[in-house]
Amino acid sequence: MIDIKGISKIYNKNKVAVNNINCRIESGISTIIGKNGAGKTTLLRILSTQLKPSSGDAFIDNLSIIKDVEKVRKKIVSIPQESSPIGILTSYEQVFLYLTARGFSFKSAKDETLRALKIVNLYNDRNRPTDELSGGMKRKMFVAMALASNAENIFLDEPTTGLDPLSRMETWAAIKMLSGNVILTTHYMEEAKELSQRIYMMNDGSIINSGSYNELLYPYRNKIRIESYSKLDNSYNIGNIYIKYINSDEMGKYNDEYNVIKKITIEDLFIMRGVDLES
Amino acid sequence: MNLRFIGSMAWYYGIKTIIRGPSYLIASLATPLTLLFLVYILSHGVLVKFAIVGGLIAFIGSVGLSGAGDAAFFRLQLRMQELYVATEIHASDYMIAFTLSYLVFAIPGVVLYAYLGTIYHLFTLFNVLGMIFIMVFLVVTTTAISFIISGSINHLRNIWGITAILTIITSILPPTFYPYYYVPNAFLYIISLSPTTPAAVLAQGIFGLAPFQINMVYIFIVEIIFYSLLARFFVKWQEKR
């Protein structure tokens, strides 16, 4: 369990990256979703003791990320955003090396490495230098590190950014095999829906809403989204598209060839708050 | 100290890298061996012993300094340093693991120079032991400088240029390929900022090629401590800003 109490991070020139976040994250897969610059990575880096917060504290299994740094580091795995393997080394070598850094004996590091590589389907490629692997395979290698480590708290920062759809699905399958408390950040709505039991919507350094996918969308169960290239009254303008939210019984008014009608998703919850996810 | 991690890193990033990427080893040997050849030709063989001893110092120094590119690449591009922060290892384990990797990586080059030294009857038990100490301390110091450089930059774009400039400055300007008494004392002390200078001066003394300079022992020790402490500060294991 992760208990975040009043965490803020203010960089030089008073740039607020994380603004007084308070929340409790229970075990299971949780997703922090938000646009680029929302503060997701900063929050994750603070939780994984890589960055000191300006104020507040967080407790991972009742250990403070400020006072108990060494103990916290033994309980977490943190896979940074856009992390890449060392190309000249194989996936076996890198997972093994990582486990030795986590205090595993050589024998258990070897056993756990092979076990994890089998689970993520990299066993047959374990002796290939990682610069020969596909993007998806490289990401799966990092998930194998998390799997092999048996850590109780796993932080994955944008684990599928930049991957093609197939590689993304492969990585999702590997992430679903992780146990314990998994927190991942993403700006992909479908990823949040596919993977997480709980979603934390983040914007401008603050958590603006949280809940399961269904809980978040429940208040809008009778709404639909209309997209049009022509201006609509009381609509949101995203790029060159106008988006309007209406009750589903009003759909007939907009049902023509110029409009696209869609179901409400998490993305719409951001748009309704005036957040442009594409920016 | 996590010896399993340090040993594994040295095995994988030292030995395996030699096997899978021998071009890196050849590249780090290319400059010292070319200069050795030039010194041999230009001095008609008179200074060749200096160039063998100094070439070994230059080679070890350049291997350690090439770590600046690696350390920066690992931190800024691969994000490996962040990955390892959230483990049981400390910044010192991480840096020692790199240092040992470079030391192991340098073994084939050292063997080549040892062969050249044997041809010229350079070795005694005393000077071999002395040279081993100098090489170990030189790798420690140059790797520390690598971490200082890599920790000071926020973008990768300049690191390869900086490393190349530093490698040339620290391997050619100091008295690696010429007797240290060829340059004025004042200049010698200025270039002693580079750890290859005290290393080369001491090596020339130990091999009986030039008078032994006890001052350089003190300078070398101060540099090892100073650069190592500074590297510990610059490594950015946990960022506070």
Side-chain angles (χ1 to χ4, degrees), chain A residues 194-211:
Chain A
E194 176 74 24
L195 291 177
S196 42
Q197 279 125 25
R198 199 162 181 84
I199 296 168
Y200 295 84
M201 293 169 57
M202 199 165 177
N203 190 48
D204 287 341
S206 302
I207 303 273
I208 54 174
N209 206 350
S210 66

Side-chain angles (χ1 to χ4, degrees), chain B residues 28-71:
Chain B
S28 52
L29 275 168
T31 306
L33 286 179
T34 307
L35 285 169
L36 172 65
F37 174 73
L38 274 177
V39 168
Y40 181 82
I41 297 292
L42 295 174
S43 71
H44 302 287
V46 174
L47 294 178
V48 74
K49 288 182 179 178
F50 285 92
I52 291 172
V53 172
L56 184 52
I57 299 285
F59 166 63
I60 295 286
S62 67
V63 167
L65 280 172
S66 67
D70 276 6

Side-chain angles (χ1 to χ4, degrees), chain A residues 9 11 45 49-52 70 73-74 76 78-86 88-90 93-94 96-98 100-106 142 145, chain B residues 2-10 12-13 16-17 20-21 24 74 77-90 236-241:
Chain A
K9 182 68 190 177
Y11 288 113
R45 293 189 74 215
T49 73
Q50 285 156 11
L51 189 64
K52 279 197 170 174
E70 302 286 318
R73 285 176 178 169
K74 292 180 183 177
I76 61 172
S78 179
I79 309 294
Q81 185 180 357
E82 293 175 356
S83 50
S84 302
I86 305 165
I88 205 162
L89 301 186
T90 67
E93 290 162 353
Q94 293 187 69
F96 181 92
L97 187 63
Y98 180 71
T100 59
R102 296 195 68 83
F104 281 55
S105 69
F106 284 140
F142 285 104
M145 283 179 178
Chain B
N2 186 329
L3 292 176
R4 274 193 290 267
F5 169 72
I6 293 168
S8 302
M9 180 77 168
Y12 290 137
Y13 205 59
K16 297 272 183 166
T17 306
R20 293 186 192 136
Y24 295 107
F74 274 45
Q77 187 75 25
L78 302 183
R79 308 271 175 181
M80 277 287 156
Q81 188 173 315
E82 281 186 41
L83 182 78
Y84 281 100
V85 167
T87 63
E88 293 187 13
I89 63 166
H90 299 101
K236 288 188 178 168
W237 203 243
Q238 185 179 35
E239 291 181 39
K240 297 184 173 82
R241 66 180 175 84

Side-chain angles (χ1 to χ4, degrees), chain A:
Chain A
M1 194 257 297
I2 297 171
D3 204 1
I4 304 174
K5 293 190 170 171
I7 288 271
S8 291
K9 182 68 190 177
I10 301 163
Y11 288 113
N12 295 340
K13 298 173 187 169
N14 294 328
K15 183 184 179 303
V16 180
V18 172
N19 186 15
N20 190 29
I21 288 185
N22 290 282
C23 68
R24 178 176 287 203
I25 302 175
E26 304 290 345
S27 67
I29 301 181
S30 304
T31 300
I32 301 171
I33 190 164
K35 66 174 186 174
N36 291 333
K40 308 183 295 291
T41 296
T42 304
L43 178 60
L44 225 55
R45 293 189 74 215
I46 289 170
L47 292 178
S48 56
T49 73
Q50 285 156 11
L51 189 64
K52 279 197 170 174
S54 306
S55 60
D57 200 349
F59 298 87
I60 297 176
D61 297 340
N62 296 317
L63 295 168
S64 161
I65 59 157
I66 293 168
K67 292 177 189 153
D68 307 307
V69 172
E70 302 286 318
K71 290 177 185 167
V72 166
R73 285 176 178 169
K74 292 180 183 177
K75 287 186 165 284
I76 61 172
V77 166
S78 179
I79 309 294
Q81 185 180 357
E82 293 175 356
S83 50
S84 302
I86 305 165
I88 205 162
L89 301 186
T90 67
S91 53
Y92 172 83
E93 290 162 353
Q94 293 187 69
V95 177
F96 181 92
L97 187 63
Y98 180 71
L99 294 184
T100 59
R102 296 195 68 83
F104 281 55
S105 69
F106 284 140
K107 179 166 186 333
S108 49
K110 181 184 174 187
D111 293 345
E112 289 302 317
T113 299
L114 292 174
R115 181 184 70 86
L117 291 175
K118 273 181 190 163
I119 292 173
V120 301
N121 247 341
L122 278 180
Y123 184 81
N124 293 335
D125 296 293
R126 67 190 183 283
N127 293 325
R128 285 172 66 191
T130 45
D131 56 8
E132 295 176 12
L133 303 182
S134 69
M137 291 162 103
K138 288 174 185 170
R139 296 312 301 174
K140 285 199 294 184
M141 186 203 83
F142 285 104
V143 179
M145 283 179 178
L147 266 169
S149 68
N150 296 315
E152 297 149 49
N153 300 281
I154 297 162
F155 304 139
L156 306 170
D157 194 3
E158 301 197 4
T160 63
T161 297
L163 294 184
D164 61 76
L166 185 65
S167 300
R168 186 176 297 167
M169 284 168 70
E170 283 179 354
T171 310
W172 285 354
I175 290 170
K176 283 177 182 172
M177 291 170 196
L178 295 169
S179 58
N181 196 356
V182 181
I183 301 178
L184 64 96
T185 67
T186 186
H187 48 246
Y188 298 126
M189 305 300 147
E190 70 276 23
E191 188 161 289
K193 182 185 176 188
E194 176 74 24
L195 291 177
S196 42
Q197 279 125 25
R198 199 162 181 84
I199 296 168
Y200 295 84
M201 293 169 57
M202 199 165 177
N203 190 48
D204 287 341
S206 302
I207 303 273
I208 54 174
N209 206 350
S210 66
S212 69
Y213 186 81
N214 288 335
E215 282 170 359
L216 287 170
L217 292 179
Y218 186 77
Y220 308 95
R221 62 194 177 283
N222 294 325
K223 297 266 186 192
I224 54 167
R225 163 176 164 159
I226 308 291
E227 277 181 19
S228 175
Y229 286 108
S230 317
K231 190 169 183 184
L232 301 167
D233 291 339
N234 299 320
S235 62
Y236 300 90
N237 181 213
I238 307 285
N240 55 354
I241 296 173
Y242 292 90
I243 296 172
K244 184 178 173 83
Y245 299 100
I246 59 165
N247 288 326
S248 46
D249 55 10
E250 297 174 84
M251 193 168 69
K253 286 192 219 169
Y254 297 90
N255 199 1
D256 63 42
E257 60 185 299
Y258 303 108
N259 298 328
V260 177
I261 298 168
K262 286 184 176 173
K263 283 173 70 176
I264 300 277
T265 67
I266 299 282
E267 181 187 14
D268 297 294
L269 307 190
F270 280 103
I271 293 171
M272 286 176 203
R273 288 171 179 265
V275 180
D276 179 2
L277 287 174
E278 301 301 317
S279 68

Side-chain angles (χ1 to χ4, degrees), chain B residues 21-175:
Chain B
S23 59
Y24 295 107
L25 182 69
I26 296 164
S28 52
L29 275 168
T31 306
L33 286 179
T34 307
L35 285 169
L36 172 65
F37 174 73
L38 274 177
V39 168
Y40 181 82
I41 297 292
L42 295 174
S43 71
H44 302 287
V46 174
L47 294 178
V48 74
K49 288 182 179 178
F50 285 92
I52 291 172
V53 172
L56 184 52
I57 299 285
F59 166 63
I60 295 286
S62 67
V63 167
L65 280 172
S66 67
D70 276 6
F73 193 67
F74 274 45
R75 183 171 70 87
L76 297 167
Q77 187 75 25
L78 302 183
R79 308 271 175 181
M80 277 287 156
Q81 188 173 315
E82 281 186 41
L83 182 78
Y84 281 100
V85 167
T87 63
E88 293 187 13
I89 63 166
H90 299 101
S92 50
D93 294 319
Y94 187 73
M95 290 193 286
I96 292 168
F98 263 91
T99 307
L100 196 61
S101 302
Y102 295 135
L103 206 54
V104 170
F105 178 77
I107 287 173
V110 172
V111 169
L112 179 64
Y113 274 99
Y115 174 69
L116 291 171
T118 308
I119 291 172
Y120 282 89
H121 306 290
L122 270 172
F123 297 124
T124 64
L125 181 64
F126 168 73
N127 66 28
V128 166
L129 284 174
M131 195 63 180
I132 288 171
F133 275 109
I134 289 172
M135 286 191 303
V136 170
F137 289 138
L138 185 60
V139 166
V140 170
T141 319
T142 48
T143 310
I145 292 171
S146 290
F147 275 99
I148 294 166
I149 297 162
S150 70
S152 315
I153 60 163
N154 291 322
H155 304 286
L156 265 182
R157 56 182 172 266
N158 286 321
I159 188 66
W160 314 114
I162 293 169
T163 308
I165 293 164
L166 263 180
T167 304
I168 290 168
I169 289 173
T170 56
S171 62
I172 296 170
L173 206 55

